[in-house]
Amino acid sequence: KILFFIIILLPFVILFDFVSINYKYVNRSLIEISEKNINSTFLKKIYNFFGKKYENLLITIPSENKKYWLPEDINYRNSLPETKIITAGTSFTRNINPYSVNLNDWERSHGNENSNRFSDLNLINTENIKNLDIAWAYRSKDRHESKFDLDVQCNPIVVDGKIYTPTAGGGRIVSIDGFSGKEIWRTKKLHDDVARRGLQYWKGNNIIEPRIYATNFKKLIAINAKTGNFIKEFGKNGIVKIKPSSITPIIYQSKIIVVTFDKTVEVYDLVGGKLIWKLDFQKKYFSRAGGVKYNNEGSNPWGGISADLQRGILYITTGNPHSYFDGTRRPGPNESSDSIIAVDLNEKKILWSFQETEHDIWNLDIPAPPILTSIIRNNNLIDVVIAVTKRANTLMLDRVTGKPIFDMNYKKAPTSKIPGEKTAPYQLDLRLPEPFAKNIFSQNEITNLTATKRFEIKERIKNFKYGFFEPVDTEKKTIIYNFHGGAEWMGASVDHQSQTMYVTANNVAFITDIIWDSQNKKYISRFERLLDSDGYLGNVPPWGTLTSLNLNTGKIIWQVPFGEFERLTKQGISRTGTENFGGATATKGELVFATGTLDKMIYAFKSTNGEEVWKMQLPFIGSAPPTTYVANGEQFIIVQSTGSYTLRSGYSVERGDALVAFKLKK
């Protein structure tokens, strides 16, 4: 009898594992049946095994599926016009709220809900910057506890002179006295990736004490800002289960909002952690293309979120779809990838979406949080959202309508030789705002360090291909810029009052190719930096830059190399800059503080002309943008110095666990 009941119930048990109940979703069916919901490892293996067999059968039998796997029609592409333009709007949304100054407190990573990372402090300025020195250095001493040994990519927050930050791979959040550098409290061991991209402070009220909110991979956590203890009243003992996320939450009215890698906006009660509603911001595909299941993975919101609190609009930036150079399983533009997405928090719907790169097969995320600011048009202050991108573009759109502020120029793109690849006919070729880094490799981009090195690289790449959105294929290796930026996850610093942006960037050429894995029947993407025989980049410098951009005109004000190889400087070679992953923070003291270069330096530049006015070496490479604040009447600059996780793949990088503070010598 028991066996009989097991046999009867088994199909229902299996079916149940395919079912998800989408409670509180505003744009998804209540019940959804999909293989993506399978929890059982055994069932998943069985399903994948038979799914692959069925897929292989579909590819070989029906004629329409065979046709899909033919190379693209180059003749049709050639018949299209060379360019097209989306003209800028003529009327824009006027500013409704003059920005308050950002002084002593830094309640959210990147400064505030605008993510503009600019400070109105000026106690440290161009007149006294020469007296800036180390005040203290905090060491977490828990790096050995990390399984992944990550760097800290969190821009620290500071409130009432107290610093809050995750530790370097130790999986803890700590509070530090901003004047002395002494640790006040530390949490218990959390996920290694806790608060990966930032923290949110809430001041509380007359009854509830101040809190720190952060994502802890598959959890949203709330911590008492005074003690470091979990808030028992929030969720279950301070924890709310969410889909995976690593970006900074944001507070809107009485709600705490997170955005997840499941491509969802999740809205919770700020005090108790109760789920209020959820929204999908990416369309789910359950169809097939050429016999294979549509691959809807990737497009993750790595960069972050910002919010117009007056209008109730959330802004999200998203990354590239999977896989890097293979888009055969995801025909079409791949909506919501490489995009800025606006969500109306009051109407609970997507307001608009703008995509920078269609059908991305080059790893061209929009990696940084959107920035909310205002610019001048027709003598009016208008509200815009900005995103700096790996392609070195500054996307600037009307905050409410999504209309472009500058003309969007598009250029015809090449077809692919990969069977089944369906490239986008056109790609954005932005003229204004001016690109702040290189984006297309050519013969002119070959290194000029010496004639010998130039000849070496020229010979090495003579059979490679490159050009405007040249697809990677199996026949020739392809050289591309922007795999590591242009801009990266650190984003930019924007002065609201002068409408000026400061952004660090990379100019790094990568050798890419793609190979067919016959055993697993899939393409494998491969990539490496283009290096000369001495280990230096094989493209022409500068390899790292800091740029100032006028947001009103879209014109570059100044650009300087960022970072130095001392050995090359001693050989009489002009400063080349270095690949960098740290970021810049500008202040009203007419200074831009920037870090993340291979030389381990933190630099200060004049914001008016880019002149370097100060630098000091850190114990390890700077790994997040600087934060500035006032404690006991003195202005401090603090910077994470933990070594760069990203740069370890190509350079000798020492791991670290320091947070270094600077102030003026008396």
Side-chain angles (χ1 to χ4, degrees):
K1 289 183 179 180
I2 294 175
L3 181 60
F4 174 76
F5 280 113
I6 290 175
I7 293 171
I8 293 296
L9 291 174
L10 187 59
F12 295 98
V13 172
I14 293 173
L15 179 62
F16 183 76
D17 208 27
F18 281 74
V19 173
S20 68
I21 308 297
N22 298 317
Y23 180 61
K24 295 289 187 179
Y25 275 94
V26 297
N27 62 344
R28 191 190 287 187
S29 301
L30 177 63
I31 298 175
E32 183 180 271
I33 301 175
S34 170
E35 74 278 3
K36 294 180 180 179
N37 300 321
I38 300 174
N39 293 309
S40 166
T41 303
F42 175 73
L43 278 181
K44 197 172 288 187
K45 287 181 178 180
I46 294 294
Y47 183 87
N48 289 338
F49 175 80
F50 285 105
K52 183 61 67 176
K53 296 289 185 184
Y54 181 57
E55 217 168 66
N56 292 338
L57 185 65
L58 289 177
I59 291 171
T60 56
I61 294 177
S63 58
E64 61 269 21
N65 289 339
K66 286 185 177 180
K67 186 178 179 181
Y68 176 88
W69 294 101
L70 296 175
E72 287 186 279
D73 184 355
I74 192 170
N75 293 323
Y76 172 73
R77 185 67 54 87
N78 289 339
S79 70
L80 298 175
E82 290 298 317
T83 61
K84 65 177 185 177
I85 298 176
I86 298 177
T87 55
T90 54
S91 62
F92 300 104
T93 304
R94 292 196 182 188
N95 174 263
I96 61 171
N97 181 52
Y99 292 97
S100 59
V101 293
N102 190 10
L103 288 170
N104 297 354
D105 292 340
W106 198 275
E107 294 188 356
R108 187 171 181 267
S109 294
H110 294 284
N112 46 45
E113 72 277 2
N114 302 309
S115 302
N116 71 308
R117 209 170 65 233
F118 181 90
S119 171
D120 289 280
L121 294 173
N122 61 3
L123 297 177
I124 300 171
N125 52 57
T126 55
E127 298 298 319
N128 58 26
I129 185 67
K130 60 182 179 294
N131 298 321
L132 194 64
D133 203 359
I134 293 177
W136 49 261
Y138 167 82
R139 303 294 288 268
S140 63
K141 298 180 181 179
D142 58 0
R143 177 145 225 153
H144 63 281
E145 298 179 25
S146 169
K147 182 168 65 173
F148 301 106
D149 203 14
L150 299 170
D151 56 0
V152 175
Q153 295 182 359
C154 171
N155 174 235
I157 62 173
V158 186
V159 180
D160 296 331
K162 295 181 178 62
I163 301 166
Y164 305 94
T165 178
T167 60
R172 289 178 172 84
I173 294 173
V174 297
S175 175
I176 302 164
D177 185 290
F179 187 80
S180 67
K182 301 295 184 183
E183 184 178 295
I184 300 170
W185 54 253
R186 64 169 51 201
T187 64
K188 62 184 180 181
K189 180 79 169 68
L190 305 169
H191 193 276
D192 286 346
D193 216 17
V194 64
R196 182 66 173 158
R197 293 282 165 80
L199 300 156
Q200 170 74 65
Y201 179 92
W202 181 51
K203 62 183 178 181
N205 53 39
N206 293 333
I207 301 172
I208 303 171
E209 289 192 313
R211 296 179 178 182
I212 304 294
Y213 293 93
T215 55
N216 186 34
F217 191 48
K218 292 184 179 181
K219 300 171 184 175
L220 172 64
I221 59 175
I223 299 167
N224 187 307
K226 293 182 178 180
T227 65
N229 296 326
F230 275 61
I231 304 294
K232 292 183 179 180
E233 298 77 21
F234 184 81
K236 187 176 181 180
N237 295 320
I239 297 171
V240 168
K241 290 184 179 181
I242 61 172
K243 297 295 183 180
S245 179
S246 64
I247 62 176
T248 316
I250 202 163
I251 294 172
Y252 173 62
Q253 296 178 347
S254 59
K255 307 171 187 71
I256 184 79
I257 300 170
V258 294
V259 175
T260 76
F261 297 161
D262 200 39
K263 277 67 79 178
T264 59
V265 176
E266 302 189 6
V267 181
Y268 296 90
D269 174 68
L270 183 63
V271 176
K274 183 180 179 180
L275 175 63
I276 301 173
W277 57 270
K278 291 184 182 183
L279 175 141
D280 279 328
F281 61 83
Q282 184 187 61
K283 182 179 178 181
K284 299 289 190 292
Y285 286 93
F286 300 101
S287 57
R288 291 182 178 269
V292 302
K293 286 189 301 182
Y294 190 96
N295 183 344
N296 207 38
E297 296 178 352
S299 311
N300 289 321
W302 300 106
I305 56 177
S306 301
D308 183 329
L309 300 183
Q310 284 67 43
R311 295 186 176 94
I313 304 174
L314 181 76
Y315 300 89
I316 308 165
T317 48
T318 62
N320 61 294
H322 295 166
S323 298
Y324 285 139
F325 311 139
D326 172 20
T328 56
R329 291 173 174 259
R330 48 176 172 87
N334 309 138
E335 300 93 338
S336 302
S337 64
D338 301 347
S339 297
I340 308 174
I341 301 168
V343 176
D344 188 319
L345 295 173
N346 298 315
E347 297 296 325
K348 303 175 186 175
K349 66 179 184 179
I350 295 173
L351 192 61
W352 54 260
S353 180
F354 176 85
Q355 186 175 45
E356 181 191 28
T357 304
E358 293 190 12
H359 192 76
D360 180 6
I361 48 173
W362 302 272
N363 185 36
L364 297 174
D365 310 61
I366 300 182
I371 300 169
L372 307 186
T373 190
S374 301
I375 65 167
I376 298 172
R377 274 292 178 278
N378 302 321
N379 296 319
N380 293 316
L381 201 60
I382 65 168
D383 285 344
V384 297
V385 56
I386 291 172
V388 290
T389 76
K390 287 172 105 175
R391 289 175 54 184
N393 288 328
T394 304
L395 304 177
M396 195 181 305
L397 307 169
D398 183 286
R399 210 184 293 177
V400 175
T401 66
K403 292 179 181 177
I405 306 301
F406 296 91
D407 286 351
M408 294 285 186
N409 297 277
Y410 288 81
K411 183 178 177 181
K412 188 164 63 176
T415 57
S416 173
K417 294 181 180 178
I418 296 287
E421 190 64 84
K422 314 296 182 187
T423 58
Y426 293 92
Q427 294 290 0
L428 185 62
D429 184 26
L430 202 60
R431 314 290 171 78
L432 280 178
E434 294 178 325
F436 50 79
K438 307 287 183 66
N439 47 39
I440 304 298
F441 188 85
S442 69
Q443 284 279 324
N444 295 331
E445 294 297 319
I446 297 174
T447 181
N448 60 2
L449 290 187
T450 66
T452 302
K453 293 301 178 190
R454 179 171 176 80
F455 178 79
E456 173 194 322
I457 296 297
K458 193 173 182 179
E459 282 296 299
R460 183 181 174 193
I461 69 171
K462 64 183 179 182
N463 293 321
F464 293 5
K465 62 190 182 78
Y466 36 81
F468 181 79
F469 281 90
E470 189 64 46
V472 179
D473 64 42
T474 57
E475 296 179 8
K476 286 185 177 182
K477 293 187 176 182
T478 307
I479 302 179
I480 63 173
Y481 271 129
N482 310 119
F483 194 85
H484 274 183
E488 264 294 345
W489 61 264
M490 306 81 65
S493 175
V494 170
D495 183 348
H496 293 315
Q497 293 183 345
S498 69
Q499 294 87 46
T500 307
M501 182 179 80
Y502 308 93
V503 60
T504 52
N506 293 318
N507 294 312
V508 181
F510 270 76
I511 301 171
T512 64
D513 72 338
I514 191 170
I515 59 171
W516 177 249
D517 180 353
S518 57
Q519 183 176 352
N520 295 303
K521 290 184 168 50
K522 66 177 183 177
Y523 288 104
I524 298 175
S525 301
R526 302 190 301 185
F527 47 89
E528 61 178 342
R529 293 172 181 85
L530 174 62
L531 301 176
D532 67 21
S533 54
D534 289 331
Y536 295 112
L537 292 170
N539 58 279
V540 65
W543 299 321
T545 59
L546 174 66
T547 303
S548 171
L549 185 80
N550 184 319
L551 295 174
N552 293 321
T553 65
K555 296 284 188 179
I556 289 173
I557 302 170
W558 52 258
Q559 185 175 88
V560 295
F562 179 43
E564 179 181 19
F565 286 105
E566 192 174 321
R567 179 181 166 192
L568 293 179
T569 305
K570 288 179 178 178
Q571 294 174 20
I573 296 171
S574 299
R575 186 173 291 192
T576 60
T578 79
E579 194 171 349
N580 59 93
F581 284 82
T585 300
T587 74
K588 191 62 73 177
E590 295 189 343
L591 294 168
V592 184
F593 293 93
T595 190
T597 48
L598 285 164
D599 55 19
K600 301 182 184 179
M601 293 290 183
I602 177 172
Y603 289 89
F605 301 86
K606 277 189 178 180
S607 61
T608 53
N609 59 15
E611 177 190 351
E612 181 190 307
V613 291
W614 175 87
K615 66 179 179 180
M616 188 166 288
Q617 192 168 60
L618 300 166
F620 312 98
I621 290 174
S623 57
T627 294
T628 185
Y629 60 93
V630 168
N632 290 359
E634 297 183 79
Q635 185 179 353
F636 287 76
I637 309 291
I638 55 171
V639 63
Q640 305 282 11
S641 173
T642 65
S644 172
Y645 181 81
T646 306
L647 292 177
R648 288 179 209 162
S649 64
Y651 306 92
S652 176
V653 173
E654 188 179 4
R655 299 169 173 85
D657 66 342
L659 179 71
V660 184
F662 301 87
K663 70 173 184 174
L664 297 173
K665 292 183 290 187
K666 291 188 177 180

